[in-house]
Amino acid sequence: MIDKTSPLPIYYQIQEMIRGKIDSNEWEPGDMLPSERIFAESYDVSRMTVRQAVTELVNEGLLRREKGKGTFVLEPKIEQTLQGLTSFTEDMRKRGLKPGSKLVKYNLDNPSLKFAEMLQMQGDQQLYEIKRLRLADEVPMALETTYMNKELVGELPEDIENHSLYYILEAEKGLKLGNGEQTFESSLARQEEADYLDIQVGDPVLLIKRMTYLEDGTLFEYVKSVYRGDRYKFTIKMPR
Amino acid sequence: MIDKTSPLPIYYQIQEMIRGKIDSNEWEPGDMLPSERIFAESYDVSRMTVRQAVTELVNEGLLRREKGKGTFVLEPKIEQTLQGLTSFTEDMRKRGLKPGSKLVKYNLDNPSLKFAEMLQMQGDQQLYEIKRLRLADEVPMALETTYMNKELVGELPEDIENHSLYYILEAEKGLKLGNGEQTFESSLARQEEADYLDIQVGDPVLLIKRMTYLEDGTLFEYVKSVYRGDRYKFTIKMPR
DNA sequence: AAAGTGAATTGGTATAGACAACTATAATTA
DNA sequence: TAATTATAGTTGTCTATACCAATTCACTTT
């Protein structure tokens, strides 16, 4: 089970082994792990090495230590709030609604001066403009427009999913995602928005703009979403 | 500097000492800490003990280790935004505006059924209702109403500051703060809000509700803020 | 039956030392 | 000069051990 000749540290092997037993439900929430001493003995490693493995998982929120009692498997973590921010789909699923998406506009063209500047694009590069109507249980919730530089993201299918897109960028293109920024403002629906969202011009809407940057600071995507004010409430969970 | 007879663990004393030097700018972002060996030697403790202190601070995001090079002070965390979420004052300062506050209503009374239930209050407990007009450069930005159970927070001055209030709760009352939750929605100004914010009834407003919980899950404060939609834009920075 | 006692078990803290892996710099060599 | 090689300094990993502090549980005493 533990390979002492492996280039991988022993504590890391133990750590992943524990994680595996939790993932596979061999160890379930509430279960007590073997005590550190027994653990160390049975794998013939030092107790401190076991502790290093366990400490990692405690920090990640998978395990809880209790002095005098033992180390226990915790309930799955509440949620990764900040990632949830980026995904309308997951957001809706959590609310028990069926997420949907309807493509409204799919455009690839030279950028306007405004976007060329914002996205730091060269003159010959092309800009995606993808407009989607976001649905929850088939009811329009938001009108979302995504802008991306084709130079960075490559060929895009019409049903882009940010989740996998980010993965492709990191894994295949070697790009490193940096920070993001999201703004919330209140506004009134304009004509186009009212049409798509099935509301009246002047009705309240929540305007969310998201900017995602690469590690070197270049803006990688700009997303503008207009949410129905009467149907949508945005929630942020704050750990601490 | 280090008291080996103290009931506080040595690694904890070292950890707080390092944190102090960073807070006081004695050690600034980019600076390299004394190497672990030198550190251990100069305080006459084991290197592992120093490592335990540093590891904590690395996990918190204050320090960064680099194999073969050293341990360095990082730029202040970005995640501080989530704390900044709670403070109108800091938020305005960051925008270069002078924050102000004007007390509009200060009430201590038995809670309505709605609040008694939400805040899990007993019938004989009393509820604070504090309504403040939030100003930026003397211009009204938001109308904020805070509800708190007097049983939990004790006597409140009229110029409450959440920052110090939280500290008092933890340090003096032994209460442990847990998670928080904040919702954003778009709405239209009602009469009272329009009056205070100097806008028209029906103008767009951003409605932010904050709930802060204790560790045991009881709701500790409920804050409802109505922001002018034309002046205020809420920003969240997302690390990663 | 209830309360107290003490041993065993658990995680928490701390030590002293060893070697590995990585980095930067100085010294050496081609 | 340019490339290579030692060398010293750094964090990373791991061992073996010791004692402390909190909890549990069997046992004894009241």
Side-chain angles (χ1 to χ4, degrees):
Chain A
M1 211 92 146
I2 301 295
D3 178 7
K4 290 201 177 183
T5 70
S6 163
L8 292 171
I10 296 175
Y11 80 88
Y12 181 78
Q13 295 181 47
I14 295 176
Q15 174 186 317
E16 292 310 303
M17 187 265 289
I18 296 174
R19 195 198 303 281
K21 296 207 178 191
I22 293 174
D23 282 348
S24 67
N25 285 54
E26 187 170 338
W27 290 344
E28 296 184 340
D31 286 359
M32 181 180 152
L33 267 63
S35 81
E36 295 174 354
R37 284 178 180 83
I38 292 179
F39 219 131
E41 201 175 333
S42 64
Y43 286 100
D44 193 30
V45 297
S46 161
R47 183 181 155 215
M48 291 300 285
T49 302
V50 175
R51 274 188 73 78
Q52 190 171 2
V54 171
T55 299
E56 272 286 319
L57 298 173
V58 168
N59 287 336
E60 284 182 34
L62 261 70
L63 302 176
R64 182 187 69 248
R65 279 188 174 124
E66 289 187 46
K67 193 195 295 194
K69 298 173 84 172
T71 302
F72 304 87
V73 178
L74 281 175
E75 297 291 331
K77 243 196 300 193
I78 313 284
E79 67 183 293
Q80 187 58 303
T81 322
L82 293 175
Q83 277 198 339
L85 273 182
T86 59
S87 170
F88 174 87
T89 307
E90 285 175 30
D91 196 4
M92 286 304 122
R93 287 226 177 85
K94 273 172 199 153
R95 293 162 201 248
L97 303 174
K98 182 173 148 250
S101 181
K102 191 176 153 192
L103 188 67
V104 168
K105 184 177 181 184
Y106 185 95
N107 193 27
L108 179 60
D109 206 349
N110 293 327
S112 69
L113 191 60
K114 171 188 163 195
F115 282 107
E117 193 166 340
M118 192 185 346
L119 291 155
Q120 299 178 30
M121 292 172 66
Q122 312 297 328
D124 60 336
Q125 297 180 341
Q126 289 189 300
L127 180 71
Y128 278 113
E129 179 192 3
I130 298 170
K131 195 171 288 207
R132 286 177 294 178
L133 192 59
R134 295 295 209 169
L135 312 169
D137 282 347
E138 316 300 339
V139 177
M141 285 290 265
L143 186 62
E144 180 181 296
T145 315
T146 303
Y147 299 91
M148 281 186 282
N149 183 351
K150 192 192 174 195
E151 197 70 22
L152 293 175
V153 298
E155 204 73 41
L156 277 190
E158 291 189 356
D159 58 342
I160 56 165
E161 273 289 333
N162 286 340
H163 208 63
S164 58
L165 174 61
Y166 290 170
Y167 177 78
I168 291 172
L169 282 172
E170 296 208 290
E172 295 181 13
K173 305 227 168 196
L175 294 178
K176 291 186 179 174
L177 290 180
N179 297 329
E181 198 175 300
Q182 197 151 315
T183 67
F184 300 78
E185 41 190 322
S186 185
S187 184
L188 302 179
R190 296 184 302 133
Q191 187 63 56
E192 185 199 25
E193 295 146 10
D195 289 346
Y196 280 119
L197 296 175
D198 198 20
I199 56 179
Q200 301 297 315
V201 172
D203 280 355
V205 291
L206 183 60
L207 203 58
I208 302 184
K209 296 173 183 170
R210 183 175 76 241
M211 279 150 287
T212 310
Y213 300 88
L214 298 178
E215 213 178 34
D216 65 2
T218 60
L219 183 58
F220 141 74
E221 70 164 357
Y222 175 76
V223 183
K224 177 183 166 184
S225 303
V226 181
Y227 284 83
R228 282 185 62 151
D230 59 340
R231 292 241 174 88
Y232 193 75
K233 190 196 292 188
F234 198 91
T235 302
I236 301 180
K237 291 205 184 346
M238 300 172 286
R240 203 229 130 86
Chain B
M1 210 93 146
I2 300 294
D3 177 8
K4 290 201 177 185
T5 70
S6 164
L8 293 170
I10 296 176
Y11 81 88
Y12 182 78
Q13 295 181 47
I14 295 176
Q15 175 186 318
E16 293 309 303
M17 188 266 288
I18 295 174
R19 195 197 303 282
K21 296 208 177 189
I22 293 175
D23 281 348
S24 67
N25 285 58
E26 187 171 337
W27 291 343
E28 297 185 341
D31 286 359
M32 180 178 153
L33 267 63
S35 82
E36 294 173 355
R37 281 185 178 80
I38 293 178
F39 218 129
E41 203 175 331
S42 64
Y43 287 100
D44 193 31
V45 297
S46 158
R47 183 183 156 217
M48 290 301 284
T49 302
V50 175
R51 274 187 74 79
Q52 189 170 0
V54 171
T55 300
E56 272 285 320
L57 298 172
V58 168
N59 287 336
E60 284 182 33
L62 261 71
L63 302 176
R64 182 187 68 249
R65 281 191 174 122
E66 288 187 46
K67 191 194 295 193
K69 297 174 81 172
T71 303
F72 304 86
V73 179
L74 280 175
E75 297 291 332
K77 251 194 305 190
I78 300 174
E79 200 179 341
Q80 97 199 123
T81 17
L82 287 179
Q83 278 194 338
L85 274 182
T86 60
S87 169
F88 175 87
T89 307
E90 286 176 28
D91 196 3
M92 287 304 123
R93 288 224 177 88
K94 273 175 200 152
R95 294 163 201 248
L97 302 174
K98 182 172 149 249
S101 182
K102 191 175 155 195
L103 188 68
V104 168
K105 184 178 181 184
Y106 184 94
N107 194 25
L108 180 59
D109 206 348
N110 293 327
S112 68
L113 191 60
K114 172 188 163 193
F115 281 107
E117 194 166 340
M118 191 184 345
L119 291 155
Q120 299 178 31
M121 291 172 66
Q122 311 298 327
D124 60 334
Q125 297 180 341
Q126 290 190 299
L127 179 71
Y128 279 113
E129 179 192 2
I130 298 170
K131 194 171 289 207
R132 286 177 292 177
L133 192 59
R134 295 296 210 168
L135 312 169
D137 284 347
E138 317 299 339
V139 177
M141 285 290 265
L143 185 62
E144 181 180 296
T145 314
T146 304
Y147 299 90
M148 280 186 284
N149 183 351
K150 193 193 174 198
E151 197 70 21
L152 293 175
V153 298
E155 205 73 41
L156 277 190
E158 291 190 357
D159 58 341
I160 55 165
E161 273 290 333
N162 285 341
H163 207 64
S164 58
L165 174 61
Y166 290 169
Y167 178 79
I168 290 173
L169 282 172
E170 297 209 291
E172 296 181 12
K173 306 228 165 196
L175 293 179
K176 291 185 179 173
L177 291 179
N179 297 328
E181 197 175 300
Q182 196 151 316
T183 65
F184 299 78
E185 41 190 324
S186 186
S187 184
L188 302 179
R190 296 184 302 132
Q191 187 63 56
E192 185 198 25
E193 296 146 10
D195 289 346
Y196 280 118
L197 296 175
D198 198 20
I199 55 179
Q200 302 298 314
V201 172
D203 280 353
V205 290
L206 184 59
L207 203 58
I208 302 185
K209 297 173 183 169
R210 183 175 74 243
M211 281 149 288
T212 311
Y213 299 87
L214 298 177
E215 213 180 34
D216 65 2
T218 61
L219 184 58
F220 141 74
E221 70 163 358
Y222 175 76
V223 183
K224 176 182 165 182
S225 303
V226 181
Y227 284 82
R228 282 185 63 152
D230 58 340
R231 292 239 175 87
Y232 193 74
K233 189 196 292 188
F234 197 92
T235 303
I236 300 179
K237 291 204 196 310
M238 301 171 287
R240 202 238 120 114

